[in-house]
Amino acid sequence: MVIDDSRAMRLILRRIVTQLGFEVQEAGNGKEALDLLETLDPVPQVALIDWNMPEMNGLEFVSAVRSQERFRQMTLMMVTTESEHGQIVRALAAGAHEYVIKPFTPEAIAEKLALLGLVPSGTMS
């Protein structure tokens, strides 16, 4: 699942993770993503989440997902321009598994997903 209020960024991330073998659902903010999650079975394996979005930001989304037993197995990865150490710590403390700072390369996304055990390493050659 790709959650970002920028259509262009959703397209970029969709292209990267599709090449890695994932099927992609998209949402423009955290609330839209939560509403979509309620309808999906099985629950997506991973969500790539922007921080700064209207209605419900990425940190609020991470907290909401972590509070529900049904979504506990989902891997959450922040993909954001928020680069302050304190913000990274807050996201990880809220339950995010990884953190990628924009701008990023397709290889950086693939490396993080490999680190999380979701794709074989060296997949984006």
Side-chain angles (χ1 to χ4, degrees):
M1 177 177 268
V2 173
I3 309 162
D4 198 304
D5 58 330
S6 161
R7 183 174 289 137
M9 186 55 62
R10 288 196 310 267
L11 182 66
I12 291 165
L13 287 168
R14 172 186 277 276
R15 191 173 298 136
I16 293 168
V17 297
T18 300
Q19 288 176 349
L20 295 170
F22 290 95
E23 288 181 32
V24 180
Q25 300 281 339
E26 293 182 22
N29 63 54
K31 179 166 182 356
E32 197 180 299
L34 269 183
D35 291 346
L36 181 58
L37 272 179
E38 294 293 343
T39 70
L40 297 177
D41 190 24
V43 171
Q45 197 175 11
V46 62
L48 308 182
I49 311 150
D50 184 28
W51 189 303
N52 298 303
M53 296 179 288
E55 219 167 319
M56 177 187 273
N57 70 36
L59 189 63
E60 293 166 335
F61 174 80
V62 169
S63 297
V65 165
R66 285 293 167 249
S67 73
Q68 297 184 47
E69 182 69 38
R70 178 169 173 245
F71 305 132
R72 292 254 166 86
Q73 297 307 310
M74 192 164 69
T75 300
L76 305 176
M77 186 163 86
M78 300 297 289
V79 182
T80 179
T81 56
E82 292 290 338
S83 59
E84 287 181 28
H85 182 72
Q87 299 291 66
I88 297 170
V89 170
R90 281 178 64 202
L92 296 175
H97 295 92
E98 265 304 339
Y99 202 98
V100 177
I101 298 167
K102 295 176 187 175
F104 54 82
T105 63
E107 293 77 21
I109 298 291
E111 281 174 23
K112 291 289 187 175
L113 292 171
L115 189 68
L116 293 164
L118 298 173
V119 296
S121 50
T123 310
M124 296 285 303
S125 348

